[in-house]
Amino acid sequence: MSELKYDVRSEHAEEFIHDGEIRATLEYAQSACNDKALVEEILAKAELGKGISHREAAVLIEVKDKEIEERIYTIARRLKEKIYGNRIVMFAPLYLSNHCVNGCVYCPYHAKNKTIPRRKLTQEEIRREVIALQDMGHKRLALETGEHPKLSPIEYVLESIDTIYSIHHKNGAIRRVNVNIAATTVENYTRLKDAGIGTYILFEETYDKAAYERLHPTGPKSDWAYHTEAMDRAMLGGIDDVGVGALFGLSNYRYDVVGILMHAEHLEARFGVGPHTISVPRIRPADDIDPRDFPDAVTDEVFRRIVAVLRIAAPYTGMIVSTRESKACRELVLDVGVSQLSGGSKTSVGGYAEGIVDAEDSAQFDISDNRTLDEIVGWLLELGYIPSFCTACYREGRTGDRFMSLAKRGLIGNCCAPNALMTLAEYLEDYASPRVKIEGAKMIDRLTQIIPSEKVRRITMENLAAIAEGKRDFRF
Ligand code: SF4
Ligand code: SF4
């Protein structure tokens, strides 16, 4: 047992992601999962939609009973619908540079990989990439870049964000730029905040310090505590929407589920607001990376349970699944709580615009879902979800605790649904294939009629009429 004390409010990573507490939790869950009365108690608490603790979540991860498993899925599904409705927010990653000084053993961008072509986009190339993304219909991006203090310093990232927001091509515009860059200083987080970013995203990869240090042998990222305390610095720098996540398959998934939730509990306890999103990537093949080297890979079945339990434990948090996952697997996890999807993604530097790269030879990982954005929009419609290009909250100042307070009172869905319908209408007008246009219009007609508030319904209808006449960018 570690001598450090577990302290949810501590500013020290080893105290809020306390190894002893995680191991004790996993041990407790092994026996507690057989205690029927306790499991019933946890399920009853889960039904209330106010979240469950990391210890309770660990028990639900362990439960073997099939009937209980189905109830976990049902609760997760209901909670997602109750808080966010049936909208699924769409986004795409944009890779700026794959130069990297780190040695992460699971990523082909690691510094020692000499076979992968290294690229860094110029501002003109970023402009071309963004136009290509706008022409697909995207409004929300996640910026990705390797860590390289000389080749991609913070000034390069800030300049790139300015470039992205400045581009208006036809009816296109990127309205929210989320940023996934290496852990940095409070001062740099303030600069990102001032540049108008949406969410700052940083995956922990694995919360298990010993495993983390093995997987990150060299480079600044090898400092587990500095990496783990990044969200605290982001919050101190003024960013109140942060996105956490673990790369499942790197280490023991049970440890990482508990770690994610302890991280969320810590942010809530110290700053009064938990993470805005949780991402659940799984390890994928890539240049120089063979997933068989990672024996902790999780099956689809386990993955589904992880998503459902995270949804139950942190009901107000957006949950993100990328194109790392196949169509079939995405369908499985959409059903139990995922609320954001990437679509039409390229994971290489310069992969969207014609003529920047010859082939996807610089991809960070292989994509399982290769469908176009239009195909994904059509598929979501078929499944009964509203594909949403909404970016309203951050633009309306609904971030951090303001957002959480609405979500916790069950009010955010009143904004999500009409915003989803209006941004879908924009997509249908500007980018959709004829088939998707027909299906989308049917959904908009049907769901607009049942918007509960008479006032919101009327304004939505007026805005939909204005969109049909060529006006853009309405939001609640
Ligand atoms: Fe670099 Fe990030 Fe890849 Fe690590 S995961 S090698 S930090 S790009
Ligand atoms: Fe997301 Fe807010 Fe839009 Fe809902 S209204 S989809 S929470 S940005």
Side-chain angles (χ1 to χ4, degrees):
M1 196 76 150
S2 163
E3 283 176 17
L4 295 160
K5 67 177 190 318
Y6 168 43
D7 178 358
V8 69
R9 283 193 178 76
S10 172
E11 59 193 59
H12 302 296
E14 282 165 338
E15 293 183 347
F16 65 81
I17 302 295
H18 186 270
D19 181 64
E21 168 60 18
I22 299 183
R23 292 190 191 281
T25 297
L26 300 185
E27 208 179 308
Y28 159 79
Q30 288 294 333
S31 55
C33 70
N34 299 314
D35 180 339
K36 284 197 171 145
L38 176 74
V39 171
E40 285 300 332
E41 229 175 81
I42 297 173
L43 290 177
K45 185 174 171 192
E47 294 263 16
L48 300 176
K50 305 218 178 303
I52 58 175
S53 70
H54 64 268
R55 285 220 167 193
E56 292 162 336
V59 175
L60 294 191
I61 285 282
E62 276 318 308
V63 168
K64 308 284 182 300
D65 185 302
K66 284 285 160 201
E67 188 251 319
I68 302 283
E69 184 176 25
E70 282 311 315
R71 283 171 62 196
I72 291 172
Y73 295 148
T74 305
I75 296 171
R77 187 179 305 125
R78 273 202 221 123
L79 290 179
K80 190 265 163 184
E81 279 173 14
K82 192 170 144 205
I83 294 165
Y84 291 115
N86 62 344
R87 59 77 170 154
I88 300 294
V89 170
M90 306 302 306
F91 76 99
L94 173 58
Y95 282 75
L96 296 181
S97 163
N98 64 355
H99 293 278
C100 193
V101 293
N102 287 309
C104 317
V105 303
Y106 50 85
C107 174
Y109 295 171
H110 68 81
K112 288 198 183 125
N113 185 359
K114 303 292 177 215
T115 62
I116 198 159
R118 301 284 175 173
R119 294 199 180 85
K120 171 188 165 184
L121 296 180
T122 63
Q123 297 304 310
E124 173 53 24
E125 286 169 338
I126 291 172
R127 205 180 68 79
R128 287 165 58 200
E129 289 280 271
V130 169
I131 288 174
L133 283 154
Q134 289 181 358
D135 280 344
M136 289 159 71
H138 278 295
K139 303 285 186 253
R140 178 187 284 242
L141 298 185
L143 281 198
E144 314 274 342
T145 176
E147 179 167 11
H148 202 295
K150 286 211 181 91
L151 289 172
S152 14
I154 190 74
E155 289 74 19
Y156 169 69
V157 177
L158 296 170
E159 187 186 2
S160 304
I161 295 168
D162 274 353
T163 300
I164 294 166
Y165 278 134
S166 74
I167 299 162
H168 298 278
H169 168 70
K170 298 183 182 164
N171 281 336
I174 298 303
R175 297 171 182 160
R176 177 177 179 132
V177 178
N178 297 332
V179 172
N180 180 356
I181 62 164
T184 184
T185 59
V186 173
E187 186 197 8
N188 283 344
Y189 286 123
T190 304
R191 295 170 81 185
L192 286 169
K193 168 79 181 170
D194 293 345
I197 70 162
T199 309
Y200 171 66
I201 302 163
L202 184 70
F203 301 155
E204 181 64 23
E205 319 299 8
T206 176
Y207 283 88
D208 182 339
K209 184 168 183 266
Y212 183 97
E213 286 171 353
R214 272 197 311 278
L215 293 157
H216 303 89
T218 54
K221 192 172 168 181
S222 59
D223 185 338
W224 178 86
Y226 188 76
H227 189 80
T228 309
E229 291 157 8
M231 293 315 188
D232 293 56
R233 291 193 300 280
M235 292 260 183
L236 293 171
I239 296 176
D240 51 7
D241 282 349
V242 299
V244 302
L247 181 49
F248 284 97
L250 284 185
S251 189
N252 178 352
Y253 71 86
R254 296 170 170 91
Y255 195 107
D256 284 328
V257 169
V258 174
I260 287 175
L261 294 175
M262 283 173 68
H263 202 173
E265 288 164 6
H266 162 69
L267 293 172
E268 175 98 39
R270 185 167 179 210
F271 299 100
V273 51
H276 191 67
T277 55
I278 296 176
S279 296
V280 285
R282 273 195 298 183
I283 191 107
R284 290 283 302 149
D287 177 272
D288 200 30
I289 304 298
D290 185 341
R292 282 171 299 188
D293 295 338
F294 297 91
D296 289 310
V298 297
T299 62
D300 285 359
E301 207 173 315
V302 169
F303 190 54
R304 188 176 188 215
R305 177 83 71 98
I306 291 171
V307 169
V309 171
L310 289 173
R311 167 54 66 212
I312 286 173
Y316 315 110
T317 305
M319 282 196 68
I320 303 177
V321 162
S322 76
T323 52
R324 281 173 188 262
E325 300 301 338
S326 66
K327 176 185 172 203
C329 182
R330 292 174 114 196
E331 204 163 317
L332 213 56
V333 290
L334 271 174
D335 185 46
V336 294
V338 163
S339 57
Q340 287 191 33
L341 285 185
S342 51
S345 305
K346 302 287 181 199
T347 60
S348 47
V349 180
Y352 293 106
E354 292 284 317
I356 298 184
V357 293
D358 299 332
E360 286 178 40
D361 53 358
S362 67
Q364 194 189 26
F365 56 85
D366 289 357
I367 286 173
S368 286
D369 188 344
N370 282 302
R371 292 172 294 168
T372 63
L373 180 61
D374 194 64
E375 286 167 339
I376 290 179
V377 168
W379 164 73
L380 287 172
L381 289 167
E382 265 170 41
L383 295 174
Y385 298 107
I386 322 172
S388 173
F389 295 87
C390 177
T391 55
C393 281
Y394 131 86
R395 298 167 75 217
E396 290 292 318
R398 291 192 297 259
T399 61
D401 52 1
R402 288 175 297 285
F403 172 83
M404 284 299 168
S405 134
L406 284 169
K408 286 181 180 175
R409 285 181 288 141
L411 300 175
I412 200 67
N414 297 339
C415 297
C416 292
N419 286 336
L421 295 172
M422 293 188 298
T423 56
L424 175 62
E426 289 187 345
Y427 175 84
L428 299 181
E429 288 287 334
D430 293 337
Y431 310 105
S433 61
R435 187 185 70 83
V436 168
K437 201 167 172 171
I438 291 168
E439 293 309 314
K442 279 190 214 158
M443 178 170 275
I444 291 172
D445 279 350
R446 184 164 55 81
L447 296 184
T448 307
Q449 307 300 331
I450 55 170
I451 292 175
S453 152
E454 193 277 324
K455 185 177 168 200
V456 174
R457 194 180 334 123
R458 178 178 49 75
I459 296 172
T460 305
M461 283 172 164
E462 285 166 11
N463 291 347
L464 288 169
I467 290 167
E469 283 166 11
K471 300 210 175 65
R472 294 291 175 267
D473 202 9
F474 298 98
R475 59 182 180 264
F476 287 96

PDB file of all heavy atoms in Angstrom, residues 17-20 22-23 26 206-210 224 251-260:
ATOM      1  N   ILE A  17      -5.003  10.349  -7.976  1.00  0.00           N
ATOM      2  CA  ILE A  17      -5.060   9.051  -8.680  1.00  0.00           C
ATOM      3  C   ILE A  17      -4.201   8.117  -7.822  1.00  0.00           C
ATOM      4  O   ILE A  17      -3.051   7.822  -8.146  1.00  0.00           O
ATOM      5  CB  ILE A  17      -4.511   9.152 -10.123  1.00  0.00           C
ATOM      6  CG1 ILE A  17      -5.279  10.199 -10.933  1.00  0.00           C
ATOM      7  CG2 ILE A  17      -4.568   7.773 -10.807  1.00  0.00           C
ATOM      8  CD1 ILE A  17      -6.741   9.893 -11.177  1.00  0.00           C
ATOM      9  N   HIS A  18      -4.771   7.717  -6.735  1.00  0.00           N
ATOM     10  CA  HIS A  18      -4.002   7.015  -5.710  1.00  0.00           C
ATOM     11  C   HIS A  18      -3.978   5.524  -6.016  1.00  0.00           C
ATOM     12  O   HIS A  18      -5.022   4.861  -6.022  1.00  0.00           O
ATOM     13  CB  HIS A  18      -4.678   7.302  -4.356  1.00  0.00           C
ATOM     14  CG  HIS A  18      -3.947   6.773  -3.183  1.00  0.00           C
ATOM     15  ND1 HIS A  18      -4.166   5.511  -2.686  1.00  0.00           N
ATOM     16  CD2 HIS A  18      -2.992   7.334  -2.402  1.00  0.00           C
ATOM     17  CE1 HIS A  18      -3.379   5.325  -1.636  1.00  0.00           C
ATOM     18  NE2 HIS A  18      -2.657   6.421  -1.447  1.00  0.00           N
ATOM     19  N   ASP A  19      -2.786   5.022  -6.285  1.00  0.00           N
ATOM     20  CA  ASP A  19      -2.640   3.622  -6.699  1.00  0.00           C
ATOM     21  C   ASP A  19      -3.239   2.662  -5.664  1.00  0.00           C
ATOM     22  O   ASP A  19      -3.941   1.700  -6.018  1.00  0.00           O
ATOM     23  CB  ASP A  19      -1.146   3.330  -6.909  1.00  0.00           C
ATOM     24  CG  ASP A  19      -0.906   1.902  -7.355  1.00  0.00           C
ATOM     25  OD1 ASP A  19      -1.370   1.552  -8.453  1.00  0.00           O
ATOM     26  OD2 ASP A  19      -0.279   1.134  -6.601  1.00  0.00           O
ATOM     27  N   GLY A  20      -3.005   2.938  -4.385  1.00  0.00           N
ATOM     28  CA  GLY A  20      -3.536   2.062  -3.324  1.00  0.00           C
ATOM     29  C   GLY A  20      -5.054   2.037  -3.342  1.00  0.00           C
ATOM     30  O   GLY A  20      -5.676   0.969  -3.201  1.00  0.00           O
ATOM     31  N   ILE A  22      -6.992   2.615  -5.920  1.00  0.00           N
ATOM     32  CA  ILE A  22      -7.466   1.901  -7.117  1.00  0.00           C
ATOM     33  C   ILE A  22      -7.356   0.391  -6.907  1.00  0.00           C
ATOM     34  O   ILE A  22      -8.302  -0.353  -7.173  1.00  0.00           O
ATOM     35  CB  ILE A  22      -6.696   2.340  -8.388  1.00  0.00           C
ATOM     36  CG1 ILE A  22      -6.904   3.844  -8.622  1.00  0.00           C
ATOM     37  CG2 ILE A  22      -7.176   1.522  -9.604  1.00  0.00           C
ATOM     38  CD1 ILE A  22      -6.268   4.391  -9.875  1.00  0.00           C
ATOM     39  N   ARG A  23      -6.231  -0.038  -6.386  1.00  0.00           N
ATOM     40  CA  ARG A  23      -6.062  -1.491  -6.185  1.00  0.00           C
ATOM     41  C   ARG A  23      -7.047  -2.013  -5.135  1.00  0.00           C
ATOM     42  O   ARG A  23      -7.606  -3.099  -5.285  1.00  0.00           O
ATOM     43  CB  ARG A  23      -4.610  -1.815  -5.808  1.00  0.00           C
ATOM     44  CG  ARG A  23      -3.694  -1.544  -6.997  1.00  0.00           C
ATOM     45  CD  ARG A  23      -2.286  -2.037  -6.867  1.00  0.00           C
ATOM     46  NE  ARG A  23      -1.492  -1.473  -7.962  1.00  0.00           N
ATOM     47  CZ  ARG A  23      -1.491  -1.924  -9.210  1.00  0.00           C
ATOM     48  NH1 ARG A  23      -2.214  -2.976  -9.534  1.00  0.00           N
ATOM     49  NH2 ARG A  23      -0.775  -1.336 -10.159  1.00  0.00           N
ATOM     50  N   LEU A  26     -10.407  -2.366  -6.849  1.00  0.00           N
ATOM     51  CA  LEU A  26     -10.520  -3.535  -7.728  1.00  0.00           C
ATOM     52  C   LEU A  26     -10.686  -4.815  -6.910  1.00  0.00           C
ATOM     53  O   LEU A  26     -11.454  -5.710  -7.286  1.00  0.00           O
ATOM     54  CB  LEU A  26      -9.301  -3.629  -8.657  1.00  0.00           C
ATOM     55  CG  LEU A  26      -9.088  -2.423  -9.597  1.00  0.00           C
ATOM     56  CD1 LEU A  26      -7.931  -2.680 -10.554  1.00  0.00           C
ATOM     57  CD2 LEU A  26     -10.345  -2.104 -10.391  1.00  0.00           C
ATOM     58  N   THR A 206      -2.831   5.548 -19.865  1.00  0.00           N
ATOM     59  CA  THR A 206      -3.217   4.664 -18.763  1.00  0.00           C
ATOM     60  C   THR A 206      -2.948   5.381 -17.447  1.00  0.00           C
ATOM     61  O   THR A 206      -1.967   6.116 -17.312  1.00  0.00           O
ATOM     62  CB  THR A 206      -2.490   3.315 -18.772  1.00  0.00           C
ATOM     63  OG1 THR A 206      -2.891   2.596 -17.588  1.00  0.00           O
ATOM     64  CG2 THR A 206      -0.982   3.448 -18.761  1.00  0.00           C
ATOM     65  N   TYR A 207      -3.846   5.164 -16.490  1.00  0.00           N
ATOM     66  CA  TYR A 207      -3.694   5.795 -15.174  1.00  0.00           C
ATOM     67  C   TYR A 207      -2.700   5.052 -14.298  1.00  0.00           C
ATOM     68  O   TYR A 207      -2.265   5.567 -13.272  1.00  0.00           O
ATOM     69  CB  TYR A 207      -5.068   5.896 -14.477  1.00  0.00           C
ATOM     70  CG  TYR A 207      -5.893   7.030 -15.052  1.00  0.00           C
ATOM     71  CD1 TYR A 207      -6.716   6.837 -16.151  1.00  0.00           C
ATOM     72  CD2 TYR A 207      -5.819   8.309 -14.506  1.00  0.00           C
ATOM     73  CE1 TYR A 207      -7.452   7.882 -16.690  1.00  0.00           C
ATOM     74  CE2 TYR A 207      -6.544   9.363 -15.038  1.00  0.00           C
ATOM     75  CZ  TYR A 207      -7.361   9.150 -16.130  1.00  0.00           C
ATOM     76  OH  TYR A 207      -8.072  10.186 -16.670  1.00  0.00           O
ATOM     77  N   ASP A 208      -2.359   3.842 -14.693  1.00  0.00           N
ATOM     78  CA  ASP A 208      -1.438   3.023 -13.898  1.00  0.00           C
ATOM     79  C   ASP A 208      -0.008   3.562 -14.087  1.00  0.00           C
ATOM     80  O   ASP A 208       0.587   3.393 -15.166  1.00  0.00           O
ATOM     81  CB  ASP A 208      -1.553   1.570 -14.373  1.00  0.00           C
ATOM     82  CG  ASP A 208      -0.668   0.633 -13.578  1.00  0.00           C
ATOM     83  OD1 ASP A 208       0.301   1.107 -12.946  1.00  0.00           O
ATOM     84  OD2 ASP A 208      -0.953  -0.579 -13.590  1.00  0.00           O
ATOM     85  N   LYS A 209       0.514   4.208 -13.049  1.00  0.00           N
ATOM     86  CA  LYS A 209       1.797   4.908 -13.174  1.00  0.00           C
ATOM     87  C   LYS A 209       2.925   3.987 -13.641  1.00  0.00           C
ATOM     88  O   LYS A 209       3.706   4.349 -14.529  1.00  0.00           O
ATOM     89  CB  LYS A 209       2.156   5.533 -11.819  1.00  0.00           C
ATOM     90  CG  LYS A 209       3.403   6.374 -11.817  1.00  0.00           C
ATOM     91  CD  LYS A 209       3.488   7.175 -10.519  1.00  0.00           C
ATOM     92  CE  LYS A 209       4.695   8.089 -10.504  1.00  0.00           C
ATOM     93  NZ  LYS A 209       5.857   7.507  -9.857  1.00  0.00           N
ATOM     94  N   ALA A 210       2.985   2.781 -13.065  1.00  0.00           N
ATOM     95  CA  ALA A 210       4.081   1.873 -13.432  1.00  0.00           C
ATOM     96  C   ALA A 210       3.966   1.478 -14.904  1.00  0.00           C
ATOM     97  O   ALA A 210       4.960   1.489 -15.651  1.00  0.00           O
ATOM     98  CB  ALA A 210       4.046   0.633 -12.545  1.00  0.00           C
ATOM     99  N   TRP A 224       4.727  11.121 -15.552  1.00  0.00           N
ATOM    100  CA  TRP A 224       3.325  10.758 -15.289  1.00  0.00           C
ATOM    101  C   TRP A 224       2.584  11.846 -14.501  1.00  0.00           C
ATOM    102  O   TRP A 224       1.459  12.198 -14.814  1.00  0.00           O
ATOM    103  CB  TRP A 224       3.288   9.428 -14.527  1.00  0.00           C
ATOM    104  CG  TRP A 224       1.912   8.962 -14.151  1.00  0.00           C
ATOM    105  CD1 TRP A 224       1.053   8.232 -14.933  1.00  0.00           C
ATOM    106  CD2 TRP A 224       1.239   9.155 -12.900  1.00  0.00           C
ATOM    107  NE1 TRP A 224      -0.110   7.970 -14.249  1.00  0.00           N
ATOM    108  CE2 TRP A 224      -0.027   8.530 -13.001  1.00  0.00           C
ATOM    109  CE3 TRP A 224       1.579   9.795 -11.714  1.00  0.00           C
ATOM    110  CZ2 TRP A 224      -0.948   8.525 -11.953  1.00  0.00           C
ATOM    111  CZ3 TRP A 224       0.660   9.794 -10.663  1.00  0.00           C
ATOM    112  CH2 TRP A 224      -0.590   9.161 -10.793  1.00  0.00           C
ATOM    113  N   SER A 251      -3.294  -1.215 -20.903  1.00  0.00           N
ATOM    114  CA  SER A 251      -3.066  -1.746 -19.567  1.00  0.00           C
ATOM    115  C   SER A 251      -4.376  -2.358 -19.083  1.00  0.00           C
ATOM    116  O   SER A 251      -5.321  -2.490 -19.858  1.00  0.00           O
ATOM    117  CB  SER A 251      -2.608  -0.581 -18.690  1.00  0.00           C
ATOM    118  OG  SER A 251      -2.185  -1.058 -17.451  1.00  0.00           O
ATOM    119  N   ASN A 252      -4.477  -2.668 -17.797  1.00  0.00           N
ATOM    120  CA  ASN A 252      -5.689  -3.282 -17.258  1.00  0.00           C
ATOM    121  C   ASN A 252      -6.871  -2.311 -17.354  1.00  0.00           C
ATOM    122  O   ASN A 252      -6.851  -1.238 -16.757  1.00  0.00           O
ATOM    123  CB  ASN A 252      -5.404  -3.643 -15.791  1.00  0.00           C
ATOM    124  CG  ASN A 252      -6.607  -4.256 -15.107  1.00  0.00           C
ATOM    125  OD1 ASN A 252      -7.700  -4.293 -15.648  1.00  0.00           O
ATOM    126  ND2 ASN A 252      -6.383  -4.741 -13.896  1.00  0.00           N
ATOM    127  N   TYR A 253      -7.906  -2.697 -18.133  1.00  0.00           N
ATOM    128  CA  TYR A 253      -9.021  -1.768 -18.354  1.00  0.00           C
ATOM    129  C   TYR A 253      -9.756  -1.431 -17.068  1.00  0.00           C
ATOM    130  O   TYR A 253     -10.291  -0.332 -16.909  1.00  0.00           O
ATOM    131  CB  TYR A 253      -9.997  -2.307 -19.407  1.00  0.00           C
ATOM    132  CG  TYR A 253     -10.828  -3.493 -18.973  1.00  0.00           C
ATOM    133  CD1 TYR A 253     -12.026  -3.311 -18.296  1.00  0.00           C
ATOM    134  CD2 TYR A 253     -10.419  -4.794 -19.233  1.00  0.00           C
ATOM    135  CE1 TYR A 253     -12.786  -4.392 -17.877  1.00  0.00           C
ATOM    136  CE2 TYR A 253     -11.172  -5.880 -18.828  1.00  0.00           C
ATOM    137  CZ  TYR A 253     -12.349  -5.673 -18.148  1.00  0.00           C
ATOM    138  OH  TYR A 253     -13.098  -6.739 -17.737  1.00  0.00           O
ATOM    139  N   ARG A 254      -9.800  -2.360 -16.115  1.00  0.00           N
ATOM    140  CA  ARG A 254     -10.494  -2.085 -14.850  1.00  0.00           C
ATOM    141  C   ARG A 254      -9.808  -0.926 -14.121  1.00  0.00           C
ATOM    142  O   ARG A 254     -10.458  -0.034 -13.592  1.00  0.00           O
ATOM    143  CB  ARG A 254     -10.469  -3.331 -13.956  1.00  0.00           C
ATOM    144  CG  ARG A 254     -11.219  -4.507 -14.544  1.00  0.00           C
ATOM    145  CD  ARG A 254     -10.918  -5.748 -13.718  1.00  0.00           C
ATOM    146  NE  ARG A 254     -11.761  -6.857 -14.074  1.00  0.00           N
ATOM    147  CZ  ARG A 254     -11.459  -7.765 -14.992  1.00  0.00           C
ATOM    148  NH1 ARG A 254     -10.317  -7.676 -15.663  1.00  0.00           N
ATOM    149  NH2 ARG A 254     -12.278  -8.755 -15.261  1.00  0.00           N
ATOM    150  N   TYR A 255      -8.492  -0.980 -14.131  1.00  0.00           N
ATOM    151  CA  TYR A 255      -7.705   0.074 -13.476  1.00  0.00           C
ATOM    152  C   TYR A 255      -8.030   1.425 -14.145  1.00  0.00           C
ATOM    153  O   TYR A 255      -8.222   2.443 -13.474  1.00  0.00           O
ATOM    154  CB  TYR A 255      -6.219  -0.256 -13.616  1.00  0.00           C
ATOM    155  CG  TYR A 255      -5.301   0.534 -12.710  1.00  0.00           C
ATOM    156  CD1 TYR A 255      -4.695  -0.073 -11.610  1.00  0.00           C
ATOM    157  CD2 TYR A 255      -5.017   1.877 -12.952  1.00  0.00           C
ATOM    158  CE1 TYR A 255      -3.845   0.637 -10.765  1.00  0.00           C
ATOM    159  CE2 TYR A 255      -4.175   2.604 -12.118  1.00  0.00           C
ATOM    160  CZ  TYR A 255      -3.587   1.980 -11.028  1.00  0.00           C
ATOM    161  OH  TYR A 255      -2.744   2.697 -10.196  1.00  0.00           O
ATOM    162  N   ASP A 256      -8.101   1.412 -15.471  1.00  0.00           N
ATOM    163  CA  ASP A 256      -8.298   2.682 -16.179  1.00  0.00           C
ATOM    164  C   ASP A 256      -9.713   3.226 -16.044  1.00  0.00           C
ATOM    165  O   ASP A 256      -9.911   4.442 -16.013  1.00  0.00           O
ATOM    166  CB  ASP A 256      -7.878   2.529 -17.645  1.00  0.00           C
ATOM    167  CG  ASP A 256      -6.356   2.520 -17.763  1.00  0.00           C
ATOM    168  OD1 ASP A 256      -5.716   3.200 -16.933  1.00  0.00           O
ATOM    169  OD2 ASP A 256      -5.814   1.838 -18.639  1.00  0.00           O
ATOM    170  N   VAL A 257     -10.713   2.360 -15.955  1.00  0.00           N
ATOM    171  CA  VAL A 257     -12.080   2.850 -15.713  1.00  0.00           C
ATOM    172  C   VAL A 257     -12.124   3.558 -14.365  1.00  0.00           C
ATOM    173  O   VAL A 257     -12.632   4.681 -14.237  1.00  0.00           O
ATOM    174  CB  VAL A 257     -13.107   1.692 -15.751  1.00  0.00           C
ATOM    175  CG1 VAL A 257     -14.463   2.150 -15.230  1.00  0.00           C
ATOM    176  CG2 VAL A 257     -13.248   1.152 -17.170  1.00  0.00           C
ATOM    177  N   VAL A 258     -11.541   2.916 -13.357  1.00  0.00           N
ATOM    178  CA  VAL A 258     -11.523   3.533 -12.016  1.00  0.00           C
ATOM    179  C   VAL A 258     -10.703   4.829 -12.053  1.00  0.00           C
ATOM    180  O   VAL A 258     -11.093   5.856 -11.481  1.00  0.00           O
ATOM    181  CB  VAL A 258     -10.975   2.536 -10.962  1.00  0.00           C
ATOM    182  CG1 VAL A 258     -10.823   3.206  -9.611  1.00  0.00           C
ATOM    183  CG2 VAL A 258     -11.908   1.332 -10.857  1.00  0.00           C
ATOM    184  N   GLY A 259      -9.584   4.800 -12.777  1.00  0.00           N
ATOM    185  CA  GLY A 259      -8.741   6.001 -12.884  1.00  0.00           C
ATOM    186  C   GLY A 259      -9.497   7.167 -13.522  1.00  0.00           C
ATOM    187  O   GLY A 259      -9.449   8.298 -13.014  1.00  0.00           O
ATOM    188  N   ILE A 260     -10.199   6.904 -14.602  1.00  0.00           N
ATOM    189  CA  ILE A 260     -10.978   7.974 -15.266  1.00  0.00           C
ATOM    190  C   ILE A 260     -11.965   8.576 -14.268  1.00  0.00           C
ATOM    191  O   ILE A 260     -12.107   9.800 -14.166  1.00  0.00           O
ATOM    192  CB  ILE A 260     -11.742   7.419 -16.498  1.00  0.00           C
ATOM    193  CG1 ILE A 260     -10.777   7.127 -17.647  1.00  0.00           C
ATOM    194  CG2 ILE A 260     -12.830   8.399 -16.952  1.00  0.00           C
ATOM    195  CD1 ILE A 260     -11.433   6.471 -18.860  1.00  0.00           C
TER     196      ILE A 260
END
